[in-house]
Amino acid sequence: VLIVDIVGFTKTVEALNLQKSAKLIKSILELLTKAVIATNGTLDKYNGDGLIAFWGAPLEDKNHAENCIFAAIKMFDFLDQFNQKYNLNINIRICIESGKVLVGDLGTDFRSSYTILGNCINYASRLENIAHSYKNLQNFPRKILIGENTQKILQNLAIKNNLLHIGKIKLRGSQNDLDIYTLKWKKNTQIMSENIDNTSNQSPETPTQARQVITVHLQNIPLLKGLPAELLNEIGKRMIFRSYP
């Protein structure tokens, strides 16, 4: 599970009118979403000035932890390009944790919502709250907290060897201290992605392209083989736009 939000968003937009603020946040959310889709992730929801995403469902992904971290790297890279293009200084904060979840339509008769439920979501959310003021993270230009459960299941050594242990924290509801990590952020982060099997080399530029990417993956699921392309495309559409009437 990945949770991302904009650092100091209120201060960033306080001098803008509502229309310009909305345009800015929409542009940033599009960049963040591209990173999710490009790494086989599923967008759960937009959450104000950020989003929540997860990996491993509905498409099985044996490298879900690696792809989640690779999505985080892409998010920072996309934002750097955005800042350079528009002469801005916007930063984001990302928190990642892994674990078993319940996934499916957990909405109501009034609105469907394909989403997840589990302790790792709560832990990732609490990491996000801690990240706002966690002193051991302040000196890192790219702010990312990774929980110990994600660190334990990583198989890609290029990523695992670039994790830096920055402390232990006690989360409410947990009896034990949890180890937390960040990335060392070397310039050769491309090495991290080269051994990840399930990532796309090109990021979708539009929602239509994103649906096309997802539709291709859906066609490879045995249970869905033989379904009409129109139906698969509709499934892909609803995977991007999580909540729909």
Side-chain angles (χ1 to χ4, degrees):
V1 177
L2 179 151
I3 299 178
V4 55
D5 68 328
I6 299 174
V7 176
F9 180 70
T10 301
K11 185 176 181 179
T12 300
V13 301
E14 62 185 1
L16 303 178
N17 60 38
L18 291 178
Q19 288 76 15
K20 290 184 178 180
S21 297
K23 185 177 180 179
L24 177 62
I25 185 60
K26 182 177 179 179
S27 297
I28 295 174
L29 289 176
E30 285 181 349
L31 294 177
L32 302 179
T33 305
K34 280 170 55 179
V36 172
I37 301 301
T39 54
N40 293 349
T42 299
L43 174 64
D44 181 14
K45 61 176 68 73
Y46 292 122
N47 189 19
D49 62 340
L51 61 80
I52 302 174
F54 56 92
W55 281 255
L59 304 177
E60 184 179 357
D61 184 357
K62 64 180 180 179
N63 296 319
H64 56 86
E66 283 85 354
N67 284 336
C68 184
I69 292 177
F70 187 37
I73 295 172
K74 278 183 172 290
M75 287 179 180
F76 284 110
D77 289 344
F78 289 162
L79 189 60
D80 284 348
Q81 297 169 13
F82 183 81
N83 283 333
Q84 292 175 10
K85 182 177 180 179
Y86 295 104
N87 194 27
L88 297 171
N89 188 31
I90 296 172
N91 199 1
I92 53 177
R93 179 173 37 234
I94 298 176
C95 295
I96 294 172
E97 185 56 307
S98 300
K100 292 183 178 180
V101 297
L102 174 66
V103 59
D105 186 348
L106 302 179
T108 67
D109 291 339
F110 298 97
R111 178 179 288 270
S112 297
S113 180
Y114 182 85
T115 187
I116 52 176
L117 184 67
N119 285 335
C120 71
I121 308 161
N122 299 328
Y123 289 158
S125 179
R126 291 169 189 173
L127 285 177
E128 182 194 23
N129 293 332
I130 291 171
H132 286 258
S133 57
Y134 190 62
K135 63 180 182 179
N136 290 357
L137 192 63
Q138 302 310 309
N139 294 329
F140 291 87
R142 291 183 166 189
K143 303 185 184 306
I144 177 171
L145 283 181
I146 300 170
E148 66 175 31
N149 292 317
T150 298
Q151 187 272 340
K152 288 178 181 177
I153 64 175
L154 282 171
Q155 301 179 50
N156 186 289
L157 294 180
I159 295 180
K160 199 160 189 172
N161 292 338
N162 273 281
L163 292 186
L164 178 66
H165 184 264
I166 58 174
K168 290 178 176 285
I169 58 173
K170 181 177 287 293
L171 296 178
R172 182 166 50 88
S174 175
Q175 296 180 350
N176 303 317
D177 292 343
L178 299 178
D179 291 305
I180 53 176
Y181 302 80
T182 192
L183 285 173
K184 296 178 182 178
W185 292 117
K186 295 180 179 179
K187 290 185 178 180
N188 61 342
T189 50
Q190 183 179 2
I191 296 176
M192 294 178 164
S193 64
E194 288 176 348
N195 296 323
I196 299 177
D197 296 331
N198 291 338
T199 55
S200 172
N201 292 326
Q202 294 184 343
S203 301
E205 296 295 335
T206 66
T208 298
Q209 292 179 9
R211 287 197 296 272
Q212 292 172 348
V213 170
I214 290 178
T215 299
V216 171
H217 289 299
L218 290 173
Q219 290 172 342
N220 293 323
I221 299 178
L223 185 63
L224 301 181
K225 283 186 176 180
L227 291 179
E230 295 80 6
L231 179 56
L232 292 175
N233 186 60
E234 182 63 22
I235 295 173
K237 177 181 177 181
R238 296 192 175 196
M239 284 174 60
I240 295 175
F241 304 104
R242 283 297 96 205
S243 297
Y244 49 93

